[in-house]
mmCIF file of all heavy atoms in Angstrom:
data_model
loop_
_atom_site.group_PDB
_atom_site.id
_atom_site.type_symbol
_atom_site.label_atom_id
_atom_site.label_comp_id
_atom_site.label_asym_id
_atom_site.label_seq_id
_atom_site.Cartn_x
_atom_site.Cartn_y
_atom_site.Cartn_z
ATOM 1 N N VAL A 1 124.109 123.267 93.860
ATOM 2 C CA VAL A 1 124.576 122.355 94.915
ATOM 3 C C VAL A 1 125.983 121.978 94.553
ATOM 4 O O VAL A 1 126.416 121.930 93.394
ATOM 5 C CB VAL A 1 123.686 121.095 95.033
ATOM 6 C CG1 VAL A 1 122.270 121.446 95.343
ATOM 7 C CG2 VAL A 1 123.769 120.275 93.745
ATOM 8 N N SER A 2 126.807 121.691 95.608
ATOM 9 C CA SER A 2 128.181 121.292 95.347
ATOM 10 C C SER A 2 128.549 120.036 96.136
ATOM 11 O O SER A 2 129.712 119.809 96.377
ATOM 12 C CB SER A 2 129.128 122.482 95.697
ATOM 13 O OG SER A 2 128.999 122.813 97.049
ATOM 14 N N GLY A 3 127.566 119.322 96.634
ATOM 15 C CA GLY A 3 127.870 118.119 97.376
ATOM 16 C C GLY A 3 126.722 117.138 97.309
ATOM 17 O O GLY A 3 125.525 117.519 97.008
ATOM 18 N N THR A 4 126.979 115.890 97.609
ATOM 19 C CA THR A 4 125.988 114.820 97.650
ATOM 20 C C THR A 4 125.900 114.304 99.068
ATOM 21 O O THR A 4 126.910 114.093 99.706
ATOM 22 C CB THR A 4 126.428 113.629 96.732
ATOM 23 O OG1 THR A 4 126.493 114.129 95.391
ATOM 24 C CG2 THR A 4 125.393 112.551 96.810
ATOM 25 N N PRO A 5 124.674 114.165 99.620
ATOM 26 C CA PRO A 5 124.559 113.614 100.979
ATOM 27 C C PRO A 5 125.326 112.403 101.205
ATOM 28 O O PRO A 5 125.315 111.457 100.339
ATOM 29 C CB PRO A 5 123.029 113.369 101.105
ATOM 30 C CG PRO A 5 122.414 114.424 100.213
ATOM 31 C CD PRO A 5 123.367 114.454 99.027
ATOM 32 N N ALA A 6 126.060 112.302 102.335
ATOM 33 C CA ALA A 6 126.925 111.175 102.550
ATOM 34 C C ALA A 6 126.173 109.831 102.664
ATOM 35 O O ALA A 6 126.741 108.787 102.283
ATOM 36 C CB ALA A 6 127.677 111.380 103.849
ATOM 37 N N PHE A 7 124.927 109.874 103.080
ATOM 38 C CA PHE A 7 124.136 108.674 103.257
ATOM 39 C C PHE A 7 122.943 108.648 102.259
ATOM 40 O O PHE A 7 121.833 108.197 102.697
ATOM 41 C CB PHE A 7 123.632 108.561 104.698
ATOM 42 C CG PHE A 7 124.745 108.545 105.691
ATOM 43 C CD1 PHE A 7 124.897 109.643 106.592
ATOM 44 C CD2 PHE A 7 125.603 107.497 105.808
ATOM 45 C CE1 PHE A 7 125.908 109.636 107.520
ATOM 46 C CE2 PHE A 7 126.661 107.480 106.753
ATOM 47 C CZ PHE A 7 126.778 108.538 107.619
ATOM 48 N N LEU A 8 123.192 109.011 101.038
ATOM 49 C CA LEU A 8 122.105 109.139 100.080
ATOM 50 C C LEU A 8 121.373 107.817 99.819
ATOM 51 O O LEU A 8 120.118 107.754 99.837
ATOM 52 C CB LEU A 8 122.668 109.602 98.708
ATOM 53 C CG LEU A 8 121.660 109.870 97.633
ATOM 54 C CD1 LEU A 8 120.574 110.892 98.052
ATOM 55 C CD2 LEU A 8 122.340 110.288 96.328
ATOM 56 N N GLU A 9 122.040 106.714 99.725
ATOM 57 C CA GLU A 9 121.408 105.426 99.541
ATOM 58 C C GLU A 9 120.568 105.014 100.740
ATOM 59 O O GLU A 9 119.513 104.422 100.551
ATOM 60 C CB GLU A 9 122.393 104.348 99.203
ATOM 61 C CG GLU A 9 123.130 104.574 97.821
ATOM 62 C CD GLU A 9 124.089 103.529 97.474
ATOM 63 O OE1 GLU A 9 124.301 102.568 98.297
ATOM 64 O OE2 GLU A 9 124.619 103.551 96.333
ATOM 65 N N ARG A 10 121.046 105.336 101.944
ATOM 66 C CA ARG A 10 120.268 105.041 103.163
ATOM 67 C C ARG A 10 119.039 105.895 103.205
ATOM 68 O O ARG A 10 117.921 105.428 103.651
ATOM 69 C CB ARG A 10 121.123 105.201 104.319
ATOM 70 C CG ARG A 10 122.245 104.204 104.442
ATOM 71 C CD ARG A 10 123.051 104.307 105.762
ATOM 72 N NE ARG A 10 122.244 103.887 106.943
ATOM 73 C CZ ARG A 10 122.736 103.700 108.131
ATOM 74 N NH1 ARG A 10 124.048 103.811 108.342
ATOM 75 N NH2 ARG A 10 121.926 103.395 109.097
ATOM 76 N N ALA A 11 119.139 107.098 102.690
ATOM 77 C CA ALA A 11 117.930 107.986 102.689
ATOM 78 C C ALA A 11 116.935 107.455 101.657
ATOM 79 O O ALA A 11 115.695 107.548 101.855
ATOM 80 C CB ALA A 11 118.370 109.460 102.284
ATOM 81 N N GLU A 12 117.438 106.971 100.510
ATOM 82 C CA GLU A 12 116.545 106.376 99.522
ATOM 83 C C GLU A 12 115.802 105.151 100.099
ATOM 84 O O GLU A 12 114.635 104.909 99.769
ATOM 85 C CB GLU A 12 117.310 105.980 98.264
ATOM 86 C CG GLU A 12 117.800 107.264 97.499
ATOM 87 C CD GLU A 12 118.622 106.893 96.293
ATOM 88 O OE1 GLU A 12 119.413 105.906 96.357
ATOM 89 O OE2 GLU A 12 118.544 107.635 95.295
ATOM 90 N N ARG A 13 116.434 104.402 100.978
ATOM 91 C CA ARG A 13 115.794 103.263 101.611
ATOM 92 C C ARG A 13 114.609 103.749 102.484
ATOM 93 O O ARG A 13 113.530 103.157 102.467
ATOM 94 C CB ARG A 13 116.785 102.471 102.411
ATOM 95 C CG ARG A 13 116.181 101.294 103.200
ATOM 96 C CD ARG A 13 115.595 100.310 102.250
ATOM 97 N NE ARG A 13 114.930 99.224 102.996
ATOM 98 C CZ ARG A 13 113.771 98.646 102.611
ATOM 99 N NH1 ARG A 13 113.187 99.043 101.491
ATOM 100 N NH2 ARG A 13 113.250 97.695 103.308
ATOM 101 N N ILE A 14 114.874 104.857 103.248
ATOM 102 C CA ILE A 14 113.795 105.415 104.069
ATOM 103 C C ILE A 14 112.692 105.890 103.229
ATOM 104 O O ILE A 14 111.494 105.647 103.491
ATOM 105 C CB ILE A 14 114.395 106.589 104.919
ATOM 106 C CG1 ILE A 14 115.311 106.044 105.959
ATOM 107 C CG2 ILE A 14 113.234 107.323 105.580
ATOM 108 C CD1 ILE A 14 115.986 107.122 106.778
ATOM 109 N N ARG A 15 112.999 106.568 102.102
ATOM 110 C CA ARG A 15 111.937 106.998 101.174
ATOM 111 C C ARG A 15 111.082 105.816 100.659
ATOM 112 O O ARG A 15 109.816 105.911 100.622
ATOM 113 C CB ARG A 15 112.561 107.692 99.958
ATOM 114 C CG ARG A 15 111.580 108.107 98.871
ATOM 115 C CD ARG A 15 112.211 108.204 97.505
ATOM 116 N NE ARG A 15 112.850 106.922 97.103
ATOM 117 C CZ ARG A 15 113.669 106.831 96.082
ATOM 118 N NH1 ARG A 15 114.034 107.887 95.374
ATOM 119 N NH2 ARG A 15 114.213 105.636 95.751
ATOM 120 N N ASP A 16 111.732 104.722 100.324
ATOM 121 C CA ASP A 16 111.002 103.564 99.779
ATOM 122 C C ASP A 16 110.082 102.996 100.874
ATOM 123 O O ASP A 16 108.954 102.579 100.515
ATOM 124 C CB ASP A 16 112.013 102.513 99.319
ATOM 125 C CG ASP A 16 112.810 102.980 98.090
ATOM 126 O OD1 ASP A 16 112.354 103.928 97.434
ATOM 127 O OD2 ASP A 16 113.824 102.335 97.809
ATOM 128 N N ILE A 17 110.516 102.962 102.093
ATOM 129 C CA ILE A 17 109.652 102.471 103.160
ATOM 130 C C ILE A 17 108.460 103.428 103.366
ATOM 131 O O ILE A 17 107.327 102.997 103.538
ATOM 132 C CB ILE A 17 110.458 102.312 104.479
ATOM 133 C CG1 ILE A 17 111.466 101.174 104.328
ATOM 134 C CG2 ILE A 17 109.580 102.128 105.647
ATOM 135 C CD1 ILE A 17 112.434 101.031 105.453
ATOM 136 N N LEU A 18 108.726 104.724 103.362
ATOM 137 C CA LEU A 18 107.645 105.715 103.565
ATOM 138 C C LEU A 18 106.612 105.629 102.449
ATOM 139 O O LEU A 18 105.405 105.858 102.653
ATOM 140 C CB LEU A 18 108.184 107.118 103.653
ATOM 141 C CG LEU A 18 108.989 107.469 104.936
ATOM 142 C CD1 LEU A 18 109.628 108.844 104.849
ATOM 143 C CD2 LEU A 18 108.056 107.384 106.177
ATOM 144 N N ARG A 19 107.042 105.268 101.286
ATOM 145 C CA ARG A 19 106.131 105.153 100.098
ATOM 146 C C ARG A 19 105.071 104.046 100.337
ATOM 147 O O ARG A 19 104.036 104.101 99.732
ATOM 148 C CB ARG A 19 106.905 104.863 98.852
ATOM 149 C CG ARG A 19 107.478 106.111 98.106
ATOM 150 C CD ARG A 19 108.210 105.682 96.904
ATOM 151 N NE ARG A 19 108.637 106.890 96.139
ATOM 152 C CZ ARG A 19 109.505 106.793 95.099
ATOM 153 N NH1 ARG A 19 110.003 105.659 94.759
ATOM 154 N NH2 ARG A 19 109.813 107.921 94.456
ATOM 155 N N GLU A 20 105.450 103.127 101.145
ATOM 156 C CA GLU A 20 104.512 101.987 101.445
ATOM 157 C C GLU A 20 103.388 102.389 102.410
ATOM 158 O O GLU A 20 102.463 101.602 102.546
ATOM 159 C CB GLU A 20 105.318 100.824 101.952
ATOM 160 C CG GLU A 20 106.331 100.233 100.978
ATOM 161 C CD GLU A 20 107.208 99.169 101.600
ATOM 162 O OE1 GLU A 20 107.012 98.845 102.808
ATOM 163 O OE2 GLU A 20 108.097 98.672 100.897
ATOM 164 N N TYR A 21 103.552 103.508 103.043
ATOM 165 C CA TYR A 21 102.535 103.964 104.017
ATOM 166 C C TYR A 21 101.403 104.603 103.325
ATOM 167 O O TYR A 21 101.577 105.423 102.354
ATOM 168 C CB TYR A 21 103.175 104.948 104.988
ATOM 169 C CG TYR A 21 104.008 104.345 106.099
ATOM 170 C CD1 TYR A 21 104.918 103.316 105.857
ATOM 171 C CD2 TYR A 21 103.842 104.744 107.439
ATOM 172 C CE1 TYR A 21 105.665 102.777 106.864
ATOM 173 C CE2 TYR A 21 104.576 104.242 108.471
ATOM 174 C CZ TYR A 21 105.501 103.224 108.180
ATOM 175 O OH TYR A 21 106.288 102.691 109.204
ATOM 176 N N ASP A 22 100.166 104.330 103.761
ATOM 177 C CA ASP A 22 99.003 105.114 103.278
ATOM 178 C C ASP A 22 98.903 106.431 104.023
ATOM 179 O O ASP A 22 99.703 106.658 104.941
ATOM 180 C CB ASP A 22 97.756 104.278 103.315
ATOM 181 C CG ASP A 22 97.337 103.873 104.746
ATOM 182 O OD1 ASP A 22 97.677 104.591 105.702
ATOM 183 O OD2 ASP A 22 96.682 102.845 104.905
ATOM 184 N N ARG A 23 97.939 107.202 103.661
ATOM 185 C CA ARG A 23 97.801 108.552 104.259
ATOM 186 C C ARG A 23 97.578 108.497 105.755
ATOM 187 O O ARG A 23 98.202 109.281 106.567
ATOM 188 C CB ARG A 23 96.699 109.348 103.575
ATOM 189 C CG ARG A 23 97.067 109.931 102.223
ATOM 190 C CD ARG A 23 95.871 110.619 101.618
ATOM 191 N NE ARG A 23 96.174 111.364 100.424
ATOM 192 C CZ ARG A 23 96.205 110.820 99.219
ATOM 193 N NH1 ARG A 23 95.923 109.512 99.099
ATOM 194 N NH2 ARG A 23 96.476 111.540 98.134
ATOM 195 N N GLU A 24 96.773 107.589 106.228
ATOM 196 C CA GLU A 24 96.521 107.458 107.687
ATOM 197 C C GLU A 24 97.738 107.071 108.438
ATOM 198 O O GLU A 24 97.998 107.493 109.541
ATOM 199 C CB GLU A 24 95.330 106.544 107.931
ATOM 200 C CG GLU A 24 93.965 107.127 107.561
ATOM 201 C CD GLU A 24 93.746 108.415 108.301
ATOM 202 O OE1 GLU A 24 93.945 108.464 109.543
ATOM 203 O OE2 GLU A 24 93.316 109.409 107.681
ATOM 204 N N GLU A 25 98.510 106.114 107.898
ATOM 205 C CA GLU A 25 99.722 105.711 108.539
ATOM 206 C C GLU A 25 100.769 106.825 108.627
ATOM 207 O O GLU A 25 101.440 106.983 109.645
ATOM 208 C CB GLU A 25 100.310 104.469 107.787
ATOM 209 C CG GLU A 25 99.495 103.182 107.942
ATOM 210 C CD GLU A 25 100.011 102.070 107.072
ATOM 211 O OE1 GLU A 25 100.399 102.385 105.888
ATOM 212 O OE2 GLU A 25 99.999 100.924 107.475
ATOM 213 N N LEU A 26 100.844 107.531 107.533
ATOM 214 C CA LEU A 26 101.717 108.704 107.557
ATOM 215 C C LEU A 26 101.276 109.776 108.558
ATOM 216 O O LEU A 26 102.148 110.370 109.219
ATOM 217 C CB LEU A 26 101.819 109.347 106.124
ATOM 218 C CG LEU A 26 102.713 108.730 105.086
ATOM 219 C CD1 LEU A 26 102.661 109.467 103.772
ATOM 220 C CD2 LEU A 26 104.175 108.616 105.599
ATOM 221 N N LYS A 27 99.984 109.994 108.598
ATOM 222 C CA LYS A 27 99.519 110.998 109.536
ATOM 223 C C LYS A 27 99.836 110.600 111.008
ATOM 224 O O LYS A 27 100.263 111.487 111.803
ATOM 225 C CB LYS A 27 97.974 111.051 109.451
ATOM 226 C CG LYS A 27 97.354 112.149 110.287
ATOM 227 C CD LYS A 27 95.845 112.257 110.075
ATOM 228 C CE LYS A 27 95.211 113.381 110.940
ATOM 229 N NZ LYS A 27 93.770 113.460 110.672
ATOM 230 N N ARG A 28 99.812 109.383 111.347
ATOM 231 C CA ARG A 28 100.180 108.893 112.672
ATOM 232 C C ARG A 28 101.675 109.042 112.889
ATOM 233 O O ARG A 28 102.123 109.438 113.991
ATOM 234 C CB ARG A 28 99.713 107.444 112.929
ATOM 235 C CG ARG A 28 98.179 107.310 113.059
ATOM 236 C CD ARG A 28 97.848 105.919 113.577
ATOM 237 N NE ARG A 28 98.194 104.878 112.669
ATOM 238 C CZ ARG A 28 97.404 104.439 111.725
ATOM 239 N NH1 ARG A 28 96.146 104.986 111.576
ATOM 240 N NH2 ARG A 28 97.742 103.430 110.918
ATOM 241 N N LEU A 29 102.449 108.695 111.875
ATOM 242 C CA LEU A 29 103.902 108.825 111.970
ATOM 243 C C LEU A 29 104.332 110.277 112.145
ATOM 244 O O LEU A 29 105.176 110.604 112.997
ATOM 245 C CB LEU A 29 104.551 108.245 110.747
ATOM 246 C CG LEU A 29 106.086 108.317 110.690
ATOM 247 C CD1 LEU A 29 106.666 107.359 111.706
ATOM 248 C CD2 LEU A 29 106.633 107.991 109.320
ATOM 249 N N TYR A 30 103.727 111.134 111.344
ATOM 250 C CA TYR A 30 104.108 112.559 111.348
ATOM 251 C C TYR A 30 103.459 113.320 112.519
ATOM 252 O O TYR A 30 103.918 114.367 112.911
ATOM 253 C CB TYR A 30 103.585 113.264 110.082
ATOM 254 C CG TYR A 30 104.290 112.863 108.772
ATOM 255 C CD1 TYR A 30 103.621 112.882 107.561
ATOM 256 C CD2 TYR A 30 105.649 112.435 108.804
ATOM 257 C CE1 TYR A 30 104.240 112.548 106.370
ATOM 258 C CE2 TYR A 30 106.260 112.029 107.587
ATOM 259 C CZ TYR A 30 105.563 112.170 106.415
ATOM 260 O OH TYR A 30 106.150 111.789 105.226
ATOM 261 N N GLN A 31 102.346 112.749 113.058
ATOM 262 C CA GLN A 31 101.567 113.481 114.039
ATOM 263 C C GLN A 31 101.213 114.853 113.563
ATOM 264 O O GLN A 31 101.386 115.860 114.208
ATOM 265 C CB GLN A 31 102.358 113.549 115.391
ATOM 266 C CG GLN A 31 102.626 112.180 116.013
ATOM 267 C CD GLN A 31 103.334 112.263 117.375
ATOM 268 O OE1 GLN A 31 103.585 113.365 117.887
ATOM 269 N NE2 GLN A 31 103.591 111.085 117.960
ATOM 270 N N ALA A 32 100.710 114.872 112.330
ATOM 271 C CA ALA A 32 100.379 116.083 111.587
ATOM 272 C C ALA A 32 98.945 116.116 111.125
ATOM 273 O O ALA A 32 98.209 115.121 111.232
ATOM 274 C CB ALA A 32 101.323 116.238 110.392
ATOM 275 N N ASN A 33 98.494 117.279 110.683
ATOM 276 C CA ASN A 33 97.124 117.416 110.233
ATOM 277 C C ASN A 33 97.008 116.813 108.776
ATOM 278 O O ASN A 33 97.992 116.413 108.156
ATOM 279 C CB ASN A 33 96.642 118.843 110.289
ATOM 280 C CG ASN A 33 97.484 119.763 109.423
ATOM 281 O OD1 ASN A 33 97.997 119.432 108.372
ATOM 282 N ND2 ASN A 33 97.636 121.010 109.894
ATOM 283 N N ASP A 34 95.797 116.820 108.302
ATOM 284 C CA ASP A 34 95.494 116.238 106.942
ATOM 285 C C ASP A 34 96.223 116.975 105.877
ATOM 286 O O ASP A 34 96.761 116.337 104.876
ATOM 287 C CB ASP A 34 93.972 116.230 106.679
ATOM 288 C CG ASP A 34 93.238 115.249 107.551
ATOM 289 O OD1 ASP A 34 93.823 114.295 108.018
ATOM 290 O OD2 ASP A 34 92.009 115.503 107.749
ATOM 291 N N LYS A 35 96.305 118.308 105.944
ATOM 292 C CA LYS A 35 96.946 119.066 104.832
ATOM 293 C C LYS A 35 98.461 118.756 104.736
ATOM 294 O O LYS A 35 98.938 118.536 103.658
ATOM 295 C CB LYS A 35 96.788 120.599 105.142
ATOM 296 C CG LYS A 35 97.325 121.479 104.049
ATOM 297 C CD LYS A 35 97.060 122.931 104.415
ATOM 298 C CE LYS A 35 97.685 123.885 103.359
ATOM 299 N NZ LYS A 35 97.408 125.347 103.667
ATOM 300 N N ILE A 36 99.115 118.711 105.879
ATOM 301 C CA ILE A 36 100.531 118.411 105.870
ATOM 302 C C ILE A 36 100.815 116.986 105.435
ATOM 303 O O ILE A 36 101.683 116.700 104.643
ATOM 304 C CB ILE A 36 101.165 118.663 107.260
ATOM 305 C CG1 ILE A 36 101.171 120.164 107.580
ATOM 306 C CG2 ILE A 36 102.588 118.102 107.357
ATOM 307 C CD1 ILE A 36 101.553 120.506 109.007
ATOM 308 N N THR A 37 99.953 116.051 105.910
ATOM 309 C CA THR A 37 100.091 114.659 105.529
ATOM 310 C C THR A 37 99.920 114.487 104.036
ATOM 311 O O THR A 37 100.688 113.768 103.413
ATOM 312 C CB THR A 37 99.073 113.845 106.310
ATOM 313 O OG1 THR A 37 99.318 113.957 107.721
ATOM 314 C CG2 THR A 37 99.189 112.366 105.898
ATOM 315 N N ASP A 38 98.859 115.135 103.507
ATOM 316 C CA ASP A 38 98.591 114.935 102.043
ATOM 317 C C ASP A 38 99.736 115.519 101.204
ATOM 318 O O ASP A 38 100.130 114.904 100.209
ATOM 319 C CB ASP A 38 97.265 115.651 101.688
ATOM 320 C CG ASP A 38 96.796 115.301 100.299
ATOM 321 O OD1 ASP A 38 96.595 114.106 100.048
ATOM 322 O OD2 ASP A 38 96.678 116.250 99.472
ATOM 323 N N LEU A 39 100.243 116.685 101.634
ATOM 324 C CA LEU A 39 101.377 117.308 100.868
ATOM 325 C C LEU A 39 102.564 116.337 100.848
ATOM 326 O O LEU A 39 103.159 116.117 99.730
ATOM 327 C CB LEU A 39 101.802 118.615 101.561
ATOM 328 C CG LEU A 39 103.109 119.182 101.068
ATOM 329 C CD1 LEU A 39 103.055 119.644 99.609
ATOM 330 C CD2 LEU A 39 103.510 120.421 101.931
#
């Protein structure tokens, strides 16, 4: 890699929020199946 995302800290904030979601909440957000959600 030769660059850093311009909004890296804002992306980390999104990650932190997503970490608070359980599997069912993520599944609804992603509108995905169990396999994709679990991954």
